[in-house]
Amino acid sequence: MGDFLIVGEALVDIVEQDGVPTTEHPGGSPANVALGLARLGHHPHLLTRLGTDRRGETVRTHLAASGVRLLPGSRTPDRTSTATARLDSTGVASYDFDLDWRLPEDVPVPPVDAVHTGSIAAFLPPGGDAVLDLIRRVAGSATVSYDPNARPGLMGDPAAARHRVETFVGLADLVKVSDEDLAWLAPGEDPAAVAADWLARGPAAVVVTRGPDGAFAICAAGTVQVAAPEITVVDTVGAGDAFTAALLDHLATAELLGADRREQLHRIETAELAAALDRAVRISALTCTRPGADPPSRAELDS
């Protein structure tokens, strides 16, 4: 089981329905990925920015309970960031953010098989530039995974955002992106064509999630597609992050992560990629049946 470094925001999701705040859950896309990996039996490190206030302590305790390890410098005396998740009638969330994103300086990066980042952490200054520098430093020594997880309210002009996103795509070995992200970043373009263009920039595989329609992926060996199971959605908070964690877990189990496995990952067969997608879609769907970012544990899946 490979070790992971996850870089990005940890915060509190304030869930709001019909204009009324209802619940608060620990969240933040990269932190959710770390949580998902920990519950699947890994011991991920998380490099983040988390306050020492009540909300920050709630998030820290929540992550630690599943085995996520915060790197030194991740705690700050400032207040913990929040994301207000507004649910529509189908349980789909849109977000407004109150956050200050930056990375601690001079934090030693532990040796790991894979590094994952994305979302706000890879975009919002000043922390976004520090994340880009970190990814450039580790790209030769670990598998790099990236999820744009676009936040239009924070990212401004889609064309400029796409340029930034594609800088990370060019450094990544694995890219996961939603069809909603692509609709904003590349309006009017065929998602499959964008995925093929991104694959040509260097990744071993580009995975596109499609909500209730499942997911597809493209790699050197070809394209695969999987369907999603029918479920009753409670909300979609953290579903994409659960998908990413499950995808990374499968690749770790298949011994395809790590700098010494880069060539094998780039030669991944379509059957292996389809199996990874199928597992990721099912874990993501299960997360949608529970409130908040609450991915399943390995024990739950085994039972």
Side-chain angles (χ1 to χ4, degrees):
M1 302 295 281
D3 275 338
F4 294 87
L5 170 63
I6 313 299
V7 183
E9 68 273 10
L11 45 76
V12 168
D13 286 324
I14 303 171
V15 180
E16 185 177 289
Q17 196 148 23
D18 299 324
V20 178
T22 55
T23 56
E24 293 191 4
H25 304 282
S29 177
N32 291 340
V33 173
L35 179 71
L37 284 167
R39 290 188 176 179
L40 292 173
H42 301 275
H43 303 284
H45 303 272
L46 176 63
L47 179 58
T48 189
R49 181 177 178 83
L50 190 62
T52 54
D53 53 6
R54 175 186 59 81
R55 281 173 168 159
E57 185 60 22
T58 297
V59 176
R60 186 201 66 78
T61 302
H62 175 70
L63 294 172
S66 292
V68 177
R69 299 171 287 186
L70 293 184
L71 283 190
S74 293
R75 303 300 301 278
T76 170
D78 298 328
R79 75 179 188 276
T80 297
S81 298
T82 61
T84 300
R86 295 187 169 89
L87 304 182
D88 65 16
S89 59
T90 66
V92 175
S94 59
Y95 294 87
D96 289 327
F97 294 90
D98 176 15
L99 78 162
D100 175 20
W101 171 243
R102 62 192 73 202
L103 280 183
E105 297 181 359
D106 302 321
V107 174
V109 175
V112 293
D113 293 322
V115 178
H116 173 78
T117 193
S119 193
I120 298 165
F123 194 90
L124 191 67
D129 291 337
V131 172
L132 180 57
D133 288 343
L134 186 152
I135 294 301
R136 283 173 170 152
R137 292 200 311 270
V138 304
S141 60
T143 300
V144 173
S145 166
Y146 172 63
D147 176 7
N149 199 13
R151 304 303 189 188
L154 293 175
M155 291 183 169
D157 174 61
R162 180 173 181 175
H163 177 75
R164 172 80 174 191
V165 164
E166 291 179 345
T167 299
F168 278 91
V169 169
L171 295 168
D173 299 292
L174 178 68
V175 176
K176 173 262 175 188
V177 63
S178 72
D179 56 357
E180 291 181 344
D181 288 348
L182 290 180
W184 184 73
L185 289 166
E189 296 186 39
D190 179 7
V194 177
D197 174 68
W198 285 8
L199 186 76
R201 295 171 185 266
V206 177
V207 178
V208 180
T209 59
R210 304 173 63 225
D213 294 322
F216 73 88
I218 182 170
C219 64
T223 300
V224 297
Q225 183 167 332
V226 299
E230 292 188 11
I231 57 168
T232 299
V233 175
V234 172
D235 67 46
T236 62
V237 176
D241 305 321
F243 183 102
T244 298
L247 184 64
L248 290 169
D249 170 67
H250 183 97
L251 295 176
T253 302
E255 299 184 345
L256 290 172
L257 299 183
D260 60 339
R261 299 284 177 165
R262 181 164 282 116
E263 289 188 12
Q264 290 94 322
L265 181 60
H266 277 257
R267 294 198 302 268
I268 189 171
E269 297 180 356
T270 53
E272 187 74 68
L273 188 56
L277 260 62
D278 185 67
R279 177 174 172 80
V281 162
R282 292 179 181 280
I283 288 176
S284 178
L286 181 55
T287 304
C288 289
T289 66
R290 301 150 37 144
D294 185 17
S297 66
R298 188 173 296 277
E300 287 180 272
L301 296 172
D302 290 344
S303 65

